[in-house]
Amino acid sequence: MDVRLFQVFVVILGVSATLSSPQSYILNDKDGLGRVFDGIGGLSGGGATTRLLVNYAEPYRSQVLDYLFKPNFGASLHILKVEIGGDAQTTDGTEPSHMHFENDENYFRGYEWWLMKEAKKRNPNITLIGLPWAFPGWVGHGKNWPYDFPDITALYVVSWILGAKQYHDLDIQYIGIWNERNYDSKYIKVLRDSLDKVGLTEVGIIAADGDWSIAKSVILDSYLNNAVQVLGAHYPGTTTVLDALKTQKKLWSSEDYSTFNDEVGGGCWARILNQNYVNGLMTATISWNLVASYYEDLPFGRDGLMTAEEPWSGHYAVESPIWITAHTTQFTQPGWTYLQTVGHLEHGGSYVALTDKRGNLTVVIETMTHDHSVCIRPPLPPFNVTCQNATFQLKGSFASIQQLQVWRSQFNFKTNKPSFFEKLAPLKLIDGSFTLHLAEDEVYTLTTLTSGQKGAHPDPPPSARFPKVYKDDFNVRNPAFSEAPDFADQTGVFEYFMNLTDPGPHVFTLRQVLTQRPVTWVADADQAISVIGDYQWQNLTVSCDIFMEKEKTGGVFVAARVDKGGQSIRSAKGVFFWVFTDGTYKVTNDLAGQTILAEGQSGTQAFCWHSLTLTVEGQFASGFLNGYPLWKKAVVLIPQKGWAAIGTQSLELAQFDNFDVLAQ
């Protein structure tokens, strides 16, 4: 074919080419291959990030799961990493442990079991990983450190893995080491021995699931070297260190992204998915978080691959990172191998190429500019990307490829009219060569595979605010999940409770079940608190029946205008109406109970039901106890908006029933 005709042919296909001095890049397997690809994944947890998804009605909940896990549909993730709940605040909320106490085991608490099964249902080959961010207090024996008794900590983690298999038929392939700030070599060895003793020899350890600092120890300690299968770093900035490379271990970005999921977030994700391997030889990248299913006004709002934060409306949003993920995940699988011939483009951007060693080839190219690909961390050094022409020459076993499928995403920041994961006409190669005109802020996949698909479900319902009238009597005999809908535990664990000793109207309640401070890596509040509702609420009435179970020093509250949550919960302000088992009450402007707006006698006591009602309107708040006014018109200047909440003054047993909110 005449060269000029070929150029026109390519332009018509939607892949423009030019002969004006294109830079040439060779894709070759003749001299061997690079590292084995381990997959792209998402992380549920590290702070209750999937909390609201479980409350979606069908079919919307399944649709969200399809976009995340269904092969050749959306993100088509290869890896799901989940938090092993530890009863502590771990960024945006608390996830319950399978062992609140040493003699307590329950492998049906929380929603991570459900999520793993749903992921496995869609992709039977998905890799499952568990990591504890925190531990129940008994593991640390009163200390905020889990490694003084490594046998106990290892038993706790191994029990979770065994429970996953026994109760849910889930095979956990890897386990991470708490936490991203520290590691303990002795514990890693004990954990390896504990896994092996119960036949879990195939479960790999990811260490330190934080930074690369463990690499030097792995080099020097042969036992530690044998115990660890993967070196995992968090937010590595696409780079690694020499010691990590010397170990010859798998290198993973075991937590990454953590960026608002608008188009710049999609650009961040596009850049690091390629450059984590190009710059750092990392063969897996896992996004924190999987799906933004927590209240957006909590820390790191909308930092997921997609957004599903409105179970009350059914609305969700398929954001750009879903389709950027698809550029890699739909055309590769774990076990494929990177070519050695990968790298940076002459005028900015990067390219990777992978093969299944059976003749298939996938090439992913990104040209994200600096300002359109900034991740939340670490800081991104300056670099330049400009439009360019690039010729790719296929050699070795790929030289005979005559046609490639083409998928393209264009962010189009100037026009604000992005186009994601668009299938173009196939590209015919001449003598194993093709040329692309690469504009700024684009992603291309060129592949021999024909199985890609931009999946679609009918549009979800429109977005809506949290309902202004909300009631929950918690009367669920066999709940699917241990948490009540829409409540987001921030400190403490509030679970459905069936009180078989009480034949009255409060058989089914919500109970705060922790009595000991957990081993935690953020500053949990001293009080237990669960928030709910609309952060924009200003004027509202919150009612709840309460049952205190701690004599003499027990206390509970209902609250409005709670202005902080997540890892900032200790400093939350709002209007908190407390009653205590010593027969007193107080009204405070903060969760810590230091700024008192009103106080006095209430006659409340333990082991009997009381009804609390808090009304906040404008700058005034009033409280009712058992239907009668207890205090009136306390002056509230700040905050002016926030969630409703319930809670306890310490980690103590207490029950809640007939929760009711009326917002104006």
Side-chain angles (χ1 to χ4, degrees), residues 28-260:
N28 194 359
D29 62 350
K30 181 180 178 181
D31 297 325
L33 297 171
R35 294 194 169 210
V36 175
F37 175 63
D38 294 306
I40 307 300
L43 202 168
S44 172
T49 54
T50 318
R51 175 65 193 90
L52 297 175
L53 178 61
V54 298
N55 303 134
Y56 269 75
E58 295 294 353
Y60 311 117
R61 187 171 70 177
S62 288
Q63 291 172 2
V64 172
L65 294 166
D66 285 348
Y67 282 116
L68 294 169
F69 300 116
K70 188 175 179 180
N72 297 316
F73 189 86
S76 306
L77 293 172
H78 304 134
I79 300 170
L80 173 60
K81 181 177 180 180
V82 304
E83 177 176 355
I84 301 175
D87 291 341
Q89 169 62 247
T90 54
T91 300
D92 287 294
T94 299
E95 297 199 31
S97 170
H98 59 290
M99 298 177 71
H100 292 320
F101 311 102
E102 191 167 5
N103 60 351
D104 162 70
E105 290 186 66
N106 185 326
Y107 297 94
F108 295 92
R109 295 185 184 119
Y111 39 83
E112 304 296 3
W113 313 107
W114 164 82
L115 183 63
M116 286 189 284
K117 287 188 288 188
E118 291 294 326
K120 199 82 172 175
K121 186 189 302 181
R122 288 162 175 78
N123 178 6
N125 297 318
I126 197 165
T127 298
L128 298 177
I129 303 172
L131 171 67
W133 269 252
F135 297 86
W138 64 269
V139 173
H141 280 254
K143 296 182 180 179
N144 196 46
W145 184 244
Y147 297 141
D148 285 348
F149 303 91
D151 290 338
I152 292 175
T153 306
L155 172 65
Y156 173 83
V157 171
V158 171
S159 297
W160 183 86
I161 300 172
L162 292 173
K165 182 63 175 178
Q166 180 178 350
Y167 295 99
H168 303 285
D169 196 27
L170 294 168
D171 293 303
I172 307 300
Q173 282 105 322
Y174 292 94
I175 200 75
I177 303 298
W178 185 86
N179 63 36
E180 62 183 24
R181 298 171 186 162
N182 300 283
Y183 69 90
D184 187 283
S185 296
K186 181 180 179 182
Y187 167 68
I188 294 173
K189 297 172 186 177
V190 170
L191 177 60
R192 180 74 270 164
D193 288 344
S194 300
L195 291 166
D196 293 345
K197 285 178 182 177
V198 296
L200 296 173
T201 56
E202 299 301 314
V203 176
I205 292 177
I206 305 171
D209 220 341
D211 59 29
W212 302 119
S213 61
I214 195 174
K216 187 178 292 293
S217 299
V218 169
I219 293 171
L220 298 175
D221 186 333
S222 61
Y223 194 100
L224 184 62
N225 179 71
N226 292 333
V228 173
Q229 283 65 52
V230 177
L231 298 189
H234 292 189
Y235 310 98
T238 77
T239 63
T240 185
V241 297
L242 183 59
D243 282 338
L245 294 171
K246 286 180 179 178
T247 67
Q248 299 184 13
K249 298 284 186 184
K250 291 176 179 289
L251 306 180
W252 288 6
S253 179
S254 53
E255 182 178 324
D256 216 326
Y257 180 62
S258 186
T259 299
F260 193 81

Side-chain angles (χ1 to χ4, degrees), residues 268-550:
C268 153
W269 188 232
R271 178 175 53 80
I272 66 177
L273 283 183
N274 265 22
Q275 296 195 28
N276 273 348
Y277 186 77
V278 170
N279 299 335
L281 294 180
M282 285 168 271
T283 55
T285 298
I286 301 173
S287 165
W288 188 89
N289 50 69
L290 171 74
V291 52
S293 285
Y294 48 101
Y295 290 117
E296 188 169 332
D297 291 288
L298 289 168
F300 304 99
R302 269 186 58 187
D303 278 14
L305 296 179
M306 63 180 293
T307 304
E309 58 187 14
E310 293 185 17
W312 48 87
S313 73
H315 179 76
Y316 62 83
V318 184
E319 316 285 4
S320 62
I322 289 290
W323 303 119
I324 295 304
T325 309
H327 273 281
T328 299
T329 54
Q330 289 201 22
F331 309 108
T332 61
Q333 288 297 322
W336 282 46
T337 306
Y338 284 99
L339 273 59
Q340 291 186 20
T341 49
V342 303
H344 291 276
L345 298 169
E346 179 72 15
H347 297 287
S350 64
Y351 65 97
V352 295
L354 303 96
T355 179
D356 64 355
K357 299 183 182 178
R358 294 184 300 220
N360 284 309
L361 175 70
T362 290
V363 184
V364 185
I365 303 166
E366 60 82 20
T367 59
M368 297 309 305
T369 57
H370 179 281
D371 292 350
H372 295 152
S373 67
V374 176
C375 302
I376 192 173
R377 52 185 163 169
L380 182 61
F383 62 86
N384 292 318
V385 176
T386 58
C387 296
Q388 58 196 297
N389 303 306
T391 295
F392 290 85
Q393 181 69 51
L394 278 55
K395 293 189 175 182
S397 66
F398 310 119
S400 60
I401 293 175
Q402 298 181 359
Q403 178 174 281
L404 292 171
Q405 307 298 312
V406 183
W407 294 79
R408 181 182 65 188
S409 290
Q410 296 178 309
F411 283 83
N412 291 328
F413 284 98
K414 292 181 180 179
T415 64
N416 290 320
K417 294 181 179 179
S419 171
F420 293 116
F421 205 56
E422 177 187 8
K423 190 178 192 309
L424 306 182
L427 174 61
K428 295 187 183 300
L429 279 62
I430 294 181
D431 297 327
S433 176
F434 65 91
T435 298
L436 299 177
H437 175 70
L438 300 172
E440 297 174 1
D441 299 321
E442 292 186 332
V443 180
Y444 278 92
T445 298
L446 299 104
T447 180
T448 55
L449 298 184
T450 60
S451 53
Q453 178 186 359
K454 186 171 184 177
H457 284 298
D459 289 343
S463 176
R465 309 294 309 193
F466 194 96
K468 291 185 176 181
V469 178
Y470 187 89
K471 301 175 184 291
D472 197 336
D473 60 11
F474 311 122
N475 288 344
V476 183
R477 182 174 293 274
N478 294 302
F481 305 103
S482 57
E483 302 92 341
D486 306 330
F487 279 89
D489 300 349
Q490 300 301 300
T491 301
V493 175
F494 295 76
E495 296 180 346
Y496 279 117
F497 180 65
M498 185 166 63
N499 187 354
L500 297 177
T501 63
D502 183 356
H506 300 290
V507 174
F508 299 96
T509 66
L510 196 66
R511 191 188 201 199
Q512 200 295 117
V513 299
L514 299 189
T515 58
Q516 184 179 12
R517 189 171 181 81
V519 177
T520 182
W521 68 283
V522 295
D524 281 43
D526 295 324
Q527 305 77 19
I529 177 173
S530 188
V531 302
I532 190 171
D534 190 330
Y535 188 77
Q536 301 302 317
W537 278 345
Q538 297 179 335
N539 301 325
L540 67 156
T541 296
V542 185
S543 299
C544 193
D545 296 343
I546 59 95
F547 185 88
M548 296 177 282
E549 301 182 54
K550 185 178 182 181

Side-chain angles (χ1 to χ4, degrees), residues 569-587:
I569 190 63
R570 283 186 71 87
S571 59
K573 292 187 173 8
V575 184
F576 296 84
F577 175 20
W578 309 75
V579 294
F580 303 98
T581 53
D582 66 359
T584 64
Y585 79 90
K586 69 177 178 180
V587 185

